[in-house]
Amino acid sequence: MQAASQSYQAVQYAVADNVATLTLNRPAQRNALDQAMREELGDIVAAIRRDREIKVLVLQGAGGAFCAGGDIRTMTSDTAADGARDRMLNLQVVIADLLNLDRPVIAVVDGPAYGAGVGLALTADLVLASPRARFCLSFLKLGAVPDCGVFYTLPRIVGLQRAKELAFSTREFGAQEARDMGIVFEIHPESQVHERAQALAASISQLPLAALSLTKRLFNTSLNSDLNTMLDLEAAGQGIARSTEYHRAAAARFMQKQPPLYQWPAFTPDALPGPSAG
């Protein structure tokens, strides 16, 4: 794939070597979601869904912040219930598209992820954070309810009781606690966390699209399924995956005791310590 990039009003978007990088780009507002950003996110994520050459998406924020949530100025300009609901429904399309994207999403949380920013981060399959990352479900503090899919994603990661506590308390919590709860996968210094995300994305992008896509789809389906259904889907998926040229080449290399086609990139030497990722 040829490298490509394009600038928008509220985001930046670039594609290179089968990896798409989407950067929330309102640093003066800590990348708060305004109408322009919502629309541009919708257009870009829809385009990624159609582009089968893209194998991994990296989602990040500019200027030492991930996303401070919704832009409060846009919330107070129109308090009519129908207008607010319409805006939320449009944003929910983006959230659903990210959650249902059949390719891995890596989020980089470097700085605050508040409100809707937490919801955006939780659409990712892997969340990397820097030590200055701060998470907060600030919704109730503003008299609002959690959105951007938080009611669906958060209890599945941290459990129902902890999800309620984080919402009721509206407290801020850092990268290490987020990792302890399973929200964050790895913690790296702010000088390295974006580089680590790109290294992971570059590695994953070497995997065959069919097997990669099926693996993510089946894991997501398992959250709302039963054993017998998953076994049937697993068998069907395996039939597809083993029919690919990649599988034949990888199996041949194994039989010939050659190095594998794929290798997960190891931690950088100065990655911050923490509990095992499992």
Side-chain angles (χ1 to χ4, degrees), residues 37-236:
M37 183 180 286
R38 293 169 186 237
E39 292 175 359
E40 291 171 1
L41 283 174
D43 291 344
I44 292 170
V45 175
I48 292 171
R49 290 186 66 189
R50 296 189 298 267
D51 189 341
R52 304 307 295 172
E53 291 193 30
I54 293 173
K55 292 186 178 181
V56 188
L57 168 62
V58 176
L59 179 62
Q60 60 189 22
F66 180 68
C67 174
D71 192 324
I72 297 177
R73 291 171 299 182
T74 66
M75 298 179 194
T76 57
S77 62
D78 180 10
T79 58
D82 56 349
R85 183 173 183 272
D86 286 345
R87 288 194 300 274
M88 196 68 248
L89 289 173
N90 290 334
L91 182 56
Q92 285 174 344
V93 171
V94 180
I95 298 299
D97 279 353
L98 284 168
L99 286 170
N100 292 324
L101 186 67
D102 63 340
R103 282 145 286 170
V105 178
I106 299 172
V108 182
V109 179
D110 179 25
Y114 272 48
V118 176
L120 274 176
L122 295 183
T123 65
D125 303 289
L126 301 174
V127 178
L128 306 187
S130 73
R132 63 183 178 184
R134 294 292 181 270
F135 301 83
C136 181
L137 272 71
S138 52
F139 302 97
L140 282 169
K141 191 178 296 185
L142 295 172
V145 300
D147 57 28
C148 286
V150 165
F151 283 118
Y152 178 85
T153 55
L154 189 62
R156 285 168 166 77
I157 297 172
V158 305
L160 186 59
Q161 181 170 244
R162 178 60 70 191
K164 291 176 180 177
E165 180 270 323
L166 294 175
F168 296 164
S169 67
T170 71
R171 68 180 177 87
E172 183 182 272
F173 55 99
Q176 188 60 58
E177 185 178 0
R179 188 176 185 193
D180 292 342
M181 288 189 286
I183 293 172
V184 166
F185 171 62
E186 290 179 359
I187 303 171
H188 293 270
E190 50 264 28
S191 62
Q192 297 180 1
V193 67
H194 293 279
E195 180 181 348
R196 173 63 173 169
Q198 291 295 329
L200 288 174
S203 179
I204 295 171
S205 72
Q206 301 303 308
L207 289 168
L209 181 58
L212 182 62
S213 173
L214 284 165
T215 298
K216 176 171 177 177
R217 281 183 179 272
L218 294 184
F219 269 126
N220 285 356
T221 300
S222 72
L223 297 174
N224 299 294
S225 191
D226 59 80
L227 173 61
N228 289 334
T229 298
M230 292 313 304
L231 290 176
D232 286 342
L233 292 172
E234 175 185 295

